[in-house]
Amino acid sequence: MTEKTFSLHGAGDMDTQTLEINIGPQHPSTHGVFRMNVVLDGETIVSLKPVMGYLHRNHEQIAENMSYTGSMPYTDRLDYFNSMSNNFGYAMAVEKLANIEVPERAHYIRIIMAELTRLVNHVSVIGFLLNDLGAFFTPVLYAFREREKILDIFEEVAGARMMCNYLRFGGVKYDLSPEVLARIAGILKKFPKFLEEFETLLTKNEILCMRCQNVGVLPAELAVSASVTGPMLRASGVNYDIRKADNYSLYERFKFRVPLGQKGDVYDRYYVRILEMRESLKILEQAVKEIPAGDIMSKKMVPFLKSPRNFKPPVGEAYARVEAPKGELGYYVVSDGTAQPWRYHVRAPSFINLTILEDLCIGQKVADAIIILGSVDIVLGELDR
């Protein structure tokens, strides 16, 4: 912690002493190894610079020196809460590059896993946000109780709870048994009751409303110009969801709406995620009910299952994106015809969405910076890569 003299008024006015502090990198409310360099006038924020890079692992450079298939488990480690969505985006990029058709049943399974992942992310980030607000651990424990049920499904299907490594180019690694589908249906039946209980405790809670409403407002114009995506963008009232805009995979078959906020404050970012979970439940109910029989892997990719190093996409480039729980997760892949990508790049929503953190925090109190950061929803594995 250091003190600096900082002029707030101009050359002719008296200088006001401000305080420059570091929040992090060990601070428990920063959602990873992350630091904020904050300049305060009293308790009011006049400047805030995010400092990142503590978890940089050369993700993209590693992928450029591995086989295409060998990089799939590394995508799990980006947003380690949402490995299924990470797999989804990477698989789509390579399939586009190599012109691989995915069987219908595999599309359904991917969508089921992606929407279960959205439930895992949103319920967790709401629990963390309440923890940031000082609600102790009760909300996050309620959230993790429901998260565990979905992670049990992931473990049974993929063999791992968080680092699933489940999708493959052309399909998925394992099929969903009738028993697993029945268990998923059971979760979907009980989850709305949990959301109702959660909302009863939180949505109209006087303390939550006072702390979150009109705090960290993100205007729609700034959100669009800064390329913000996901729940943050929709909380500012911008109707943009890649599942609707691109209709990737088979999302055009499912009926769901895109929830929007009005002010773009911390409260709207909380409530949009609540509403998005309800829409994910609708998609899941349709997918589980309508999932067709058939193959889970493209016949074109069967020869490469035992010898993935022989998979060499044609020369070209491709970009694919998914509506991940945090926003637009995109993969850009360039092939030179060898077994390793010539260029591999990740468009990480955590990184893009964080760029407007200072805009959200200037003029707010220092305690509000913690909940504003919590409402952005970042994971440092994805942000730093």
Side-chain angles (χ1 to χ4, degrees):
M1 184 181 295
T2 58
E3 289 189 1
K4 287 188 176 181
T5 300
F6 201 84
S7 176
L8 297 180
H9 303 290
D13 297 316
M14 181 182 295
D15 288 346
T16 302
Q17 189 177 52
T18 61
L19 189 67
E20 180 179 335
I21 64 172
N22 284 312
I23 301 177
Q26 76 286 352
H27 197 283
S29 293
T30 52
H31 305 267
V33 188
F34 172 71
R35 177 162 64 93
M36 293 186 291
N37 183 266
V38 186
V39 178
L40 299 174
D41 178 21
E43 292 189 14
T44 302
I45 297 171
V46 297
S47 173
L48 185 148
K49 302 299 181 185
V51 182
M52 58 201 78
Y54 295 96
L55 285 182
H56 181 54
R57 296 156 295 150
N58 293 305
H59 175 90
E60 295 175 0
Q61 289 72 29
I62 290 173
E64 290 168 7
N65 289 277
M66 296 191 68
S67 67
Y68 286 86
T69 305
S71 293
M72 185 64 79
Y74 284 89
T75 66
D76 292 345
R77 275 77 177 170
L78 288 168
D79 182 353
Y80 39 78
F81 269 84
N82 301 313
S83 69
M84 293 288 193
S85 295
N86 303 344
N87 292 173
F88 201 171
Y90 179 50
M92 283 177 52
V94 176
E95 287 158 2
K96 186 176 181 180
L97 183 66
N99 194 26
I100 300 168
E101 292 291 332
V102 178
E104 188 176 28
R105 183 175 177 86
H107 275 302
Y108 272 79
I109 294 174
R110 289 179 173 190
I111 289 172
I112 289 171
M113 293 301 152
E115 296 308 317
L116 285 174
T117 297
R118 201 176 313 277
L119 295 180
V120 166
N121 182 86
H122 285 2
V123 76
S124 299
V125 74
I126 290 171
F128 293 145
L129 176 61
L130 270 293
N131 192 29
D132 294 343
L133 276 164
F136 300 104
F137 281 94
T138 302
V140 77
L141 290 177
Y142 275 46
F144 270 46
R145 181 191 64 189
E146 302 306 311
R147 173 177 177 257
E148 287 297 305
K149 299 172 185 176
I150 298 176
L151 295 189
D152 286 344
I153 296 291
F154 290 169
E155 184 177 19
E156 184 167 345
V157 172
R161 291 160 52 81
M162 292 181 67
M163 312 305 171
C164 299
N165 185 26
Y166 178 60
L167 272 67
R168 294 293 183 270
F169 308 138
V172 295
K173 187 175 182 180
Y174 301 115
D175 201 354
L176 298 186
S177 67
E179 292 77 17
V180 169
L181 287 170
R183 287 182 59 194
I184 294 173
I187 292 173
L188 301 181
K189 186 176 181 180
K190 296 178 180 178
F191 206 90
K193 182 179 179 181
F194 158 72
L195 281 181
E196 290 171 7
E197 293 175 348
F198 218 39
E199 278 209 73
T200 299
L201 292 172
L202 303 177
T203 300
K204 295 183 180 180
N205 183 286
E206 184 177 358
I207 297 175
L208 185 144
C209 292
M210 290 178 64
R211 286 295 311 279
C212 295
Q213 289 178 349
N214 300 312
V215 173
V217 176
L218 174 60
E221 297 79 10
L222 175 60
V224 172
S225 64
S227 299
V228 170
T229 54
M232 280 198 69
L233 177 67
R234 293 188 285 274
S236 296
V238 180
N239 189 352
Y240 184 75
D241 187 309
I242 297 171
R243 293 172 295 177
K244 292 282 191 181
D246 287 2
N247 282 326
Y248 64 89
S249 190
L250 296 179
Y251 271 106
E252 73 276 2
R253 297 190 182 183
F254 300 99
K255 296 180 180 179
F256 67 99
R257 67 185 186 90
V258 179
L260 303 177
Q262 296 178 340
K263 295 182 179 179
D265 55 13
V266 171
Y267 186 85
D268 278 353
R269 291 194 281 276
Y270 150 76
Y271 197 54
V272 159
R273 291 182 173 102
I274 289 283
L275 297 177
E276 285 193 3
M277 284 193 281
R278 296 190 182 279
E279 298 306 309
S280 288
L281 290 172
K282 294 179 184 178
I283 295 172
L284 285 163
E285 288 169 357
Q286 296 171 69
V288 170
K289 181 180 179 181
E290 300 168 5
I291 184 170
D295 296 331
I296 61 166
M297 177 58 66
S298 167
K299 291 181 171 59
K300 181 177 180 179
M301 293 302 297
V302 171
F304 300 107
L305 296 180
K306 293 184 179 180
S307 56
R309 291 180 181 274
N310 292 329
F311 175 63
K312 299 176 182 179
V315 175
E317 61 181 351
Y319 178 77
R321 59 183 187 165
V322 296
E323 183 64 47
K326 291 174 172 58
E328 179 181 335
L329 174 62
Y331 291 84
Y332 174 67
V333 185
V334 179
S335 171
D336 59 0
T338 65
Q340 299 171 341
W342 183 81
R343 182 72 178 98
Y344 169 99
H345 175 66
V346 179
R347 193 266 188 208
S350 287
F351 178 77
I352 304 296
N353 292 351
L354 190 68
T355 59
I356 44 81
L357 182 63
E358 182 175 33
D359 299 273
L360 301 183
C361 291
I362 288 179
Q364 304 289 331
K365 301 301 182 184
V366 64
D368 292 333
I370 303 300
I371 63 172
I372 292 170
L373 177 66
S375 72
V376 175
D377 186 15
I378 62 170
V379 160
L380 270 294
E382 178 185 88
L383 193 150
D384 286 341
R385 300 189 299 288

